[in-house]
Amino acid sequence: TTAVNASRNLYFSLTISASNHHCSLCARSGTGEIKKTSLGICNKMDDDSSSILYDLIKERNSIESPPALVSLQNLYDALQIVADSLEAKCKNLEEEKIDLRQQARLASSLDNKGNLSKIEVKLRDKIQLLQDQLNEKLEKEVEAAANYVRATNELSKLKDKAIANSAEIDRLREENKRSENNVAAMSSRLKMAEHTASIAEKHYVAFKDEMATLQKENIDLKAENTQLVNRLVSEKEKMMAQFNTMNEMNEKLQKEISLLRSMAKVDREKLNNHNDGDNNITNSGDKRIKGGRMWGSGGVIVPSTPKHVLKAHTNEITSVRYDPDCTNLVATASSDSTVKIWDTGSGKVRATLRGSSGQPMLGVDFCSDMVIGCSSDKTCRVWKSKTERMVHQLAGHASKVTCCRFLPGAKEVLTGSADRSFRVWDIDRTTYKHTLTFRHGSSSTCIDTSSDSLTAVSGHLDGGLRFWDLRSGDRMAEITDLHENGVTSVMCSPTDGTKLLTNGRDSILKIVDIRMCDSIQSFSDNEFRTTFNWSAST
């Protein structure tokens, strides 16, 4: 009995001798090596035992051997039987060939004697036929041997393939097992996720209902808040109207009181002057210029003749600014690209500061030793008046810079430009820094800051005023169409933070009440004309 072990590529052959009751097992590997092992003497070996042993080996082979290997083994056995039969036939033909050669020698000897016969011819033909048959048998045997070799090689390849397939099957089984475990884990996670999603959906529904309730409450609160705001606004408007009415009445009464006091004072002065015969000194001890005119209740004397007349610049002067520190200095800016500082006591120039050649200086301001001047070259320069040295050149506007102001402390500069923007610059460091930008819809021509230094007011070519919060950059209020053809200057009152003075191209001066956002008094004269965008009033 022959069996094949596919796992080790071995062929097993079990031989049972019935005569001496001896069993032996013969193993042949794929390389042709043969190992024989005696299994010992079988004292009792009958047909039933042989049949059982054969069936067991056959069953084991059917389990351990792949179907393809079994079919190859069957093919090998059939080829072996064919080879054995062909070998036996070759031996018979070889013997027959020897006999025929002997007969041929005998016939040849007879031929030499000249006794050729028909039998000799038949023998020669038969020999030739046998020789052809032998050659054909040999060719078939060679072909069978080649087929055997090919079958052996194919069998070896199939064995290797079967081993690889077996390993791949084992790997796939392990992978399938891991996949099944992963599927089980994913199924468990999916169930947990579905459970979590169900809980979340319940929470969402509850949250949605709560949101709907809150929205409804919010709508009700908004409506109530709107009503309260409207009521508060209406009450505030009423209070403001009453307050404004009271202020107006108070101002009128104060004006009347001041007028009465002034008239009483003038009457007393006239009476005293008449009695004393002195036209230059009053009872109060105040000095008065002979021939001078008194204005207002404070006794301000308006000059009637100039103290100094100076040829200050080669071109028109575009801006004049007095020193806020009361040091008898005044700064002028001109179209000749220069800024000059003057001493009002002597009429002499203290400093000359120069800008870009050919670019008019459009605005000026100074505080202590610091001077700024804005120009049509889109920049604003910062100088030290004592050294006449420029310390900063503020660049960033897209068009000419039309106005500039120092903020309190001279650490920040506010500039306005024809590019419809205002900018705040920090100049306290070696390198300046742009901090805020205000955007608007019309080019600005002038700007000033309030006494509290928290608000800036700007005049524009559209004839309106705009109020700005210097801390946030937001627009606080706006007065439209205050002047026709544009506002040329704006100046906040240094004593009353609620009023400011404006000048316009319509040749009218207006005092504006910031609280009312409207003008409360206007001044005009047929001989007064405002002809330039930089014309100013103070």
Side-chain angles (χ1 to χ4, degrees), residues 318-369:
T318 57
S319 179
V320 178
R321 190 72 175 173
Y322 287 94
D323 182 13
D325 295 335
C326 300
T327 57
N328 294 329
L329 296 178
V330 64
T332 59
S334 171
S335 296
D336 61 4
S337 306
T338 62
V339 171
K340 293 184 179 182
I341 308 298
W342 304 88
D343 187 340
T344 59
S346 63
K348 295 181 179 180
V349 64
R350 287 281 191 91
T352 300
L353 312 172
R354 302 188 182 278
S356 296
S357 179
Q359 300 292 335
M361 301 300 293
L362 302 178
V364 68
D365 193 14
F366 70 113
C367 181
S368 184
D369 189 35

Side-chain angles (χ1 to χ4, degrees), residues 235-391:
E235 292 179 357
K236 190 173 181 180
E237 288 178 351
K238 292 178 181 179
M239 291 177 63
M240 288 300 296
Q242 294 175 0
F243 183 74
N244 291 333
T245 303
M246 292 175 65
N247 284 336
E248 290 176 359
M249 292 176 64
N250 186 28
E251 288 177 359
K252 290 180 180 179
L253 291 174
Q254 287 180 355
K255 288 180 180 179
E256 291 178 0
I257 292 170
S258 299
L259 181 59
L260 292 173
R261 286 178 179 176
S262 178
M263 292 175 65
K265 185 177 180 181
V266 170
D267 291 339
R268 285 196 302 270
E269 288 177 354
K270 286 182 179 180
L271 180 60
N272 292 331
N273 290 337
H274 178 72
N275 293 329
D276 298 337
D278 189 357
N279 295 325
N280 295 325
I281 301 175
T282 64
N283 290 332
S284 62
D286 292 336
K287 293 184 178 180
R288 179 177 175 184
I289 298 176
K290 185 177 181 180
R293 294 169 293 174
M294 301 294 293
W295 291 77
S297 61
V300 177
I301 301 173
V302 178
S304 58
T305 58
K307 184 176 182 180
H308 300 288
V309 178
L310 305 174
K311 180 63 176 178
H313 294 274
T314 58
N315 287 334
E316 66 269 13
I317 297 175
T318 57
S319 179
V320 178
R321 190 72 175 173
Y322 287 94
D323 182 13
D325 295 335
C326 300
T327 57
N328 294 329
L329 296 178
V330 64
T332 59
S334 171
S335 296
D336 61 4
S337 306
T338 62
V339 171
K340 293 184 179 182
I341 308 298
W342 304 88
D343 187 340
T344 59
S346 63
K348 295 181 179 180
V349 64
R350 287 281 191 91
T352 300
L353 312 172
R354 302 188 182 278
S356 296
S357 179
Q359 300 292 335
M361 301 300 293
L362 302 178
V364 68
D365 193 14
F366 70 113
C367 181
S368 184
D369 189 35
M370 303 294 291
V371 182
I372 57 174
C374 57
S375 173
S376 61
D377 64 354
K378 307 177 186 178
T379 65
C380 180
R381 289 171 171 81
V382 183
W383 294 279
K384 290 280 189 179
S385 62
K386 292 182 180 179
T387 61
E388 299 186 8
R389 183 176 64 88
M390 185 177 69
V391 293

Side-chain angles (χ1 to χ4, degrees), residues 418-438:
D419 63 1
R420 301 181 180 181
S421 71
F422 293 101
R423 297 195 177 205
V424 179
W425 311 83
D426 184 357
I427 61 171
D428 191 31
R429 300 179 179 86
T430 304
T431 304
Y432 70 87
K433 180 181 179 182
H434 169 225
T435 58
L436 279 178
T437 300
F438 313 149

Side-chain angles (χ1 to χ4, degrees), residues 79-371:
L79 290 173
Q80 189 66 35
I81 293 171
V82 172
D84 293 339
S85 63
L86 290 175
E87 187 177 0
K89 288 182 181 180
C90 286
K91 287 181 180 180
N92 293 333
L93 290 173
E94 190 67 29
E95 292 176 356
E96 188 175 357
K97 178 181 176 181
I98 293 171
D99 293 339
L100 290 175
R101 283 182 179 176
Q102 290 178 358
Q103 292 178 7
R105 286 195 206 90
L106 181 60
S108 177
S109 63
L110 292 175
D111 185 30
N112 293 331
K113 295 178 181 181
N115 294 325
L116 297 175
S117 62
K118 294 180 179 180
I119 296 173
E120 182 180 0
V121 175
K122 291 180 179 180
L123 289 174
R124 288 181 178 178
D125 294 337
K126 190 173 182 180
I127 288 170
Q128 184 65 34
L129 179 60
L130 291 172
Q131 185 66 36
D132 295 337
Q133 291 178 356
L134 179 61
N135 293 333
E136 185 178 357
K137 295 289 185 180
L138 290 174
E139 291 176 357
K140 290 182 179 181
E141 186 176 359
V142 169
E143 185 178 359
N147 291 334
Y148 171 73
V149 172
R150 286 195 298 273
T152 302
N153 293 332
E154 185 177 358
L155 178 63
S156 178
K157 292 179 181 179
L158 289 174
K159 287 177 182 178
D160 296 339
K161 189 174 180 180
I163 293 171
N165 290 336
S166 178
E168 182 69 17
I169 289 171
D170 293 338
R171 187 185 67 78
L172 291 175
R173 284 176 180 172
E174 292 178 358
E175 186 175 355
N176 185 32
K177 187 176 180 180
R178 289 195 298 270
S179 299
E180 290 177 352
N181 294 333
N182 292 334
V183 169
M186 293 296 290
S187 299
S188 177
R189 292 179 183 177
L190 180 61
K191 290 180 180 179
M192 292 179 64
E194 289 177 350
H195 180 66
T196 305
S198 177
I199 295 174
E201 186 176 0
K202 293 178 181 179
H203 290 172
Y204 171 74
V205 172
F207 178 73
K208 190 175 180 181
D209 295 338
E210 186 176 358
M211 283 294 296
T213 304
L214 291 175
Q215 286 179 353
K216 186 177 180 181
E217 293 178 357
N218 187 30
I219 292 171
D220 296 338
L221 290 174
K222 282 184 177 180
E224 186 177 356
N225 186 38
T226 303
Q227 294 177 359
L228 291 174
V229 169
N230 292 333
R231 188 185 306 169
L232 180 63
V233 169
S234 62
E235 292 179 357
K236 190 173 181 180
E237 288 178 351
K238 292 178 181 179
M239 291 177 63
M240 288 300 296
Q242 294 175 0
F243 183 74
N244 291 333
T245 303
M246 292 175 65
N247 284 336
E248 290 176 359
M249 292 176 64
N250 186 28
E251 288 177 359
K252 290 180 180 179
L253 291 174
Q254 287 180 355
K255 288 180 180 179
E256 291 178 0
I257 292 170
S258 299
L259 181 59
L260 292 173
R261 286 178 179 176
S262 178
M263 292 175 65
K265 185 177 180 181
V266 170
D267 291 339
R268 285 196 302 270
E269 288 177 354
K270 286 182 179 180
L271 180 60
N272 292 331
N273 290 337
H274 178 72
N275 293 329
D276 298 337
D278 189 357
N279 295 325
N280 295 325
I281 301 175
T282 64
N283 290 332
S284 62
D286 292 336
K287 293 184 178 180
R288 179 177 175 184
I289 298 176
K290 185 177 181 180
R293 294 169 293 174
M294 301 294 293
W295 291 77
S297 61
V300 177
I301 301 173
V302 178
S304 58
T305 58
K307 184 176 182 180
H308 300 288
V309 178
L310 305 174
K311 180 63 176 178
H313 294 274
T314 58
N315 287 334
E316 66 269 13
I317 297 175
T318 57
S319 179
V320 178
R321 190 72 175 173
Y322 287 94
D323 182 13
D325 295 335
C326 300
T327 57
N328 294 329
L329 296 178
V330 64
T332 59
S334 171
S335 296
D336 61 4
S337 306
T338 62
V339 171
K340 293 184 179 182
I341 308 298
W342 304 88
D343 187 340
T344 59
S346 63
K348 295 181 179 180
V349 64
R350 287 281 191 91
T352 300
L353 312 172
R354 302 188 182 278
S356 296
S357 179
Q359 300 292 335
M361 301 300 293
L362 302 178
V364 68
D365 193 14
F366 70 113
C367 181
S368 184
D369 189 35
M370 303 294 291
V371 182

